[in-house]
């Protein structure tokens, strides 16, 4: 079975970026053992980052 | 060199599922990229939705529109110098037709550039694929594999998953989520990096939001995978 590469080396996780069935069913991005919830986790992260950058700019 | 560029046409009924695949045989030497397009045949204007594992989907608005296009890099380990090489079938591309008049779809195989490292956007039918990291080319004749067959397989009606009432048909949602997810992850990754480096680079004393360290490992890895998507696929190495 051919493997995709990570940093120019064959890696068992590489091809998992193309398998996003759970994005359709659960709104979750998967890559290897990592997962990111696009519907819940990402919006929370976006709000936190946005607020941080606004505060940082205001305090500069 | 590409020996043939086949085009296969099939009639598909409403709510019937279609799988398109391409079979290639290595002629030896280096590998090639190929681009699969599903086109609405001239004279047809169905209400259809498509979804491709590699590429984008869109609603056809006029005859000849490409509703699904995918590119796939085929290469090692089968690109041995042995004449004849090994056969390989590319990942299937699926498309469905909603409650519309029967439509005819064509599968067109376009040979890409080998090894396909240059950034040359492929625009089937004049439409941008929308894949920012698609490095596959569109220069026929530079490949070393032989396209031997293009197939269209029709599945029984009713086997396509139906979404809940009031929601979009899931192939459309799939394309939208795939695109939205990719853009969100890459952009968010940059934002998170700014937050993490704010203390060191600009002396910011604000506490880092709790979500950042919690989500950063997954975000980082997924973002890297999108950024270097051409390396993640098994294919020719530079």
């Amino acid at each position: 079975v051919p493997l995709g590469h990570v940093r120019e080396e064959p890696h068992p996780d590489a091809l998992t970026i193309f398998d996003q069935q759970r994005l359709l069913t659960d709104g979750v991005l998967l890559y290897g053992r990592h997962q990111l919830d696009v519907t819940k986790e990402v919006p929370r992260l976006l709000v936190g980052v946005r607020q941080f950058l606004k505060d940082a700019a205001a305090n500069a | 060199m590409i020996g043939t560029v086949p085009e296969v046409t099939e009639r598909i009924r409403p709510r019937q599922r279609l799988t398109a695949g391409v079979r290639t045989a290595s002629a030896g030497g280096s590998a090639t990229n190929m681009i699969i397009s599903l086109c609405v045949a001239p004279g047809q204007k169905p209400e259809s939705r498509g979804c491709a594992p590699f590429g984008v989907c869109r609603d056809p608005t006029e005859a000849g529109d490409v509703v699904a296009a995918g590119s796939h890099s085929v290469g090692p380990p089968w690109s041995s110098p042995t004449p004849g090489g090994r056969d390989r079938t590319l990942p299937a591309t699926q498309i469905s037709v909603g409650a519309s008049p029967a439509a005819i779809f064509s599968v067109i195989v376009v040979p890409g550039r080998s090894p396909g490292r240059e950034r040359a956007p492929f625009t089937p039918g004049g439409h941008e694929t929308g894949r920012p990291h698609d490095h596959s080319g569109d220069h026929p004749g530079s490949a070393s594999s032989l396209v031997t067959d293009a197939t269209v397989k029709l599945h029984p009606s009713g086997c396509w998953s139906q979404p809940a009432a009031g929601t979009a048909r899931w192939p459309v949602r799939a394309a939208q989520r795939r695109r939205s997810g990719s853009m969100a992850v890459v952009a968010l990754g940059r934002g998170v990096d700014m937050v993490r480096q704010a203390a060191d680079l600009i002396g910011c004393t604000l506490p880092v939001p709790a979500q950042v360290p919690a989500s950063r490992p997954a975000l980082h890895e997924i973002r890297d995978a999108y950024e270097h998507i051409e390396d993640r696929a098994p294919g020719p190495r530079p």
Side-chain angles (χ1 to χ4, degrees), chain A residues 3-56:
Chain A
L3 290 177
H5 287 62
V6 176
R7 296 178 185 85
E8 301 183 354
E9 295 292 334
H11 196 286
D13 288 347
L15 284 176
T16 63
I17 194 62
F18 298 104
D19 181 11
Q20 297 298 343
Q21 191 64 32
R22 282 201 59 200
L23 185 61
L24 311 180
T25 57
D26 305 324
V28 174
L29 281 169
L30 291 179
Y31 177 66
R33 61 184 174 83
H34 300 284
Q35 64 178 41
L36 194 64
D37 190 321
V38 174
T39 61
K40 297 173 184 173
E41 190 176 0
V42 166
R44 282 200 294 265
L45 192 56
L46 185 60
V47 168
V49 168
R50 180 175 183 268
Q51 190 61 50
F52 177 93
L53 295 177
K54 284 175 63 180
D55 293 343

Side-chain angles (χ1 to χ4, degrees), chain B residues 181-195:
Chain B
S182 173
M183 291 171 58
V185 165
V186 172
L188 197 53
R190 298 191 191 283
V192 165
D193 285 345
M194 291 173 66
V195 171

Side-chain angles (χ1 to χ4, degrees), chain B residues 74-233:
Chain B
V74 291
W78 60 267
S79 61
S80 68
T82 305
R86 291 163 52 188
D87 288 349
R88 172 163 179 168
T89 300
L90 300 189
T93 296
Q94 295 186 340
I95 192 168
S96 71
V97 174
S100 65
I104 296 176
F105 287 88
S106 299
V107 179
I108 299 175
V109 182
V110 181
R113 179 169 42 230
S114 176
R117 279 283 168 183
E118 296 81 357
R119 294 173 180 270
F122 169 59
T123 55
H127 299 290
E128 173 58 51
T129 62
R131 298 179 66 227
H133 301 297
D134 183 357
H135 297 173
S136 58
D138 57 355
H139 295 175
S142 61
S144 62
S145 293
L146 186 69
V147 177
T148 59
D149 192 19
T151 61
V152 174
K153 180 180 180 183
L154 298 178
H155 303 270
S157 298
C159 62
W160 196 266
S161 300
Q162 295 298 314
T167 61
R169 276 170 282 196
W170 78 257
V172 178
R173 289 188 297 158
Q176 291 170 342
R177 288 187 183 188
R178 189 195 314 274
R179 207 171 310 159
S180 303
S182 173
M183 291 171 58
V185 165
V186 172
L188 197 53
R190 298 191 191 283
V192 165
D193 285 345
M194 291 173 66
V195 171
R196 292 178 56 250
Q197 298 172 12
D200 292 338
L201 298 182
I202 62 173
C204 181
T205 58
L206 293 172
V208 173
Q211 303 94 321
V212 168
S215 300
R216 203 255 174 182
L219 179 66
H220 177 75
E221 291 296 327
I222 295 172
R223 189 207 67 169
D224 273 6
Y226 280 132
E227 287 277 358
H228 305 285
I229 197 76
E230 75 277 20
D231 289 331
R232 298 306 191 263

